[in-house]
Amino acid sequence: MKSNSKKDFNGRQIAIYGLFIALVYVATRFINIPGPTPGGLFHLGNVMFFTIAIVFGKKAGAISGGVGMALFDLTSPYAIWAPFTFIIRFAMGYIIGFSANIKNEDKRKNVLYTSLGIIASSVIMIVGYYFTEVLLYGNWITAFESLWGNFMQCFIGTILSIPISISLKLGFKSRKISTEV
């Protein structure tokens, strides 16, 4: 039975989401620095992930962040982190994509909504990975060591993804290219 529901994925969407997942994976896999704490890793996957969420919305952000970064974990020494990464990054991508794409004519409100989405998702990441470390390592104190690194990942991801996202959105708009996936 064929359905014309918007909930169905078509070949174009599958290809685009596959590309987004690959971009996040590559940015995480090949542009990273292992951190000093157990499981600590600094990478630029957040730049790609945040950019995709801001430009293409909540579904693209959630799928690319959750799957792309969990795939990285599965193909690295951090495989035990994959289910937690999937949940944390999926939630982050959804929130950033949702808040950055609230339709509003006031540019200041758009900046505010995007900023609030990034702040909320950063809190989810920092708190989520903190409790994941507590669960995995059984130590409330040791988990504090990764807070600064997680904060910096969000901060650098934000600083670099905002100008990239603005440029992409303006470029797509001037060429009348839809960013709806």
Side-chain angles (χ1 to χ4, degrees):
M1 183 164 122
K2 187 175 180 181
S3 172
N4 290 329
S5 167
K6 282 196 162 219
K7 293 180 183 178
D8 292 340
F9 282 102
N10 61 36
R12 178 183 170 276
Q13 289 173 315
I14 292 171
I16 290 171
Y17 290 133
L19 174 65
F20 290 163
I21 290 166
L23 289 169
V24 170
Y25 173 81
V26 167
T28 306
R29 178 84 177 158
F30 297 107
I31 310 171
N32 68 58
I33 302 164
T37 60
L41 180 70
F42 184 81
H43 57 79
L44 293 182
N46 286 328
V47 176
M48 188 63 65
F49 164 43
F50 288 6
T51 301
I52 290 167
I54 292 167
V55 174
F56 297 98
K58 60 188 177 191
K59 192 190 263 186
I63 291 171
S64 68
V67 177
M69 291 196 184
L71 184 61
F72 164 76
D73 284 349
L74 287 172
T75 60
S76 74
Y78 307 105
I80 195 167
W81 291 81
F84 304 103
T85 293
F86 177 79
I87 293 166
I88 292 166
R89 299 304 182 138
F90 191 93
M92 289 174 66
Y94 189 90
I95 290 170
I96 293 171
F98 175 80
S99 63
N101 288 285
I102 294 174
K103 301 294 182 213
N104 195 314
E105 296 301 319
D106 185 353
K107 290 183 190 230
R108 285 178 284 162
K109 283 189 179 179
N110 289 336
V111 170
L112 175 66
Y113 294 147
T114 302
S115 299
L116 290 174
I118 289 173
I119 290 167
S121 71
S122 296
V123 169
I124 288 171
M125 180 181 155
I126 292 165
V127 171
Y129 280 122
Y130 173 79
F131 284 110
T132 299
E133 281 195 40
V134 169
L135 180 68
L136 294 177
Y137 301 122
N139 187 323
W140 294 87
I141 306 301
T142 304
F144 277 108
E145 294 176 7
S146 67
L147 293 178
W148 179 250
N150 286 333
F151 169 78
M152 287 307 295
Q153 277 193 54
C154 291
F155 181 74
I156 299 298
T158 300
I159 296 300
L160 296 176
S161 67
I162 295 293
I164 294 168
S165 300
I166 291 169
S167 296
L168 285 172
K169 279 187 162 189
L170 289 172
F172 288 143
K173 186 176 180 181
S174 71
R175 288 167 183 77
K176 296 180 175 78
I177 298 172
S178 173
T179 57
E180 290 184 26
V181 180

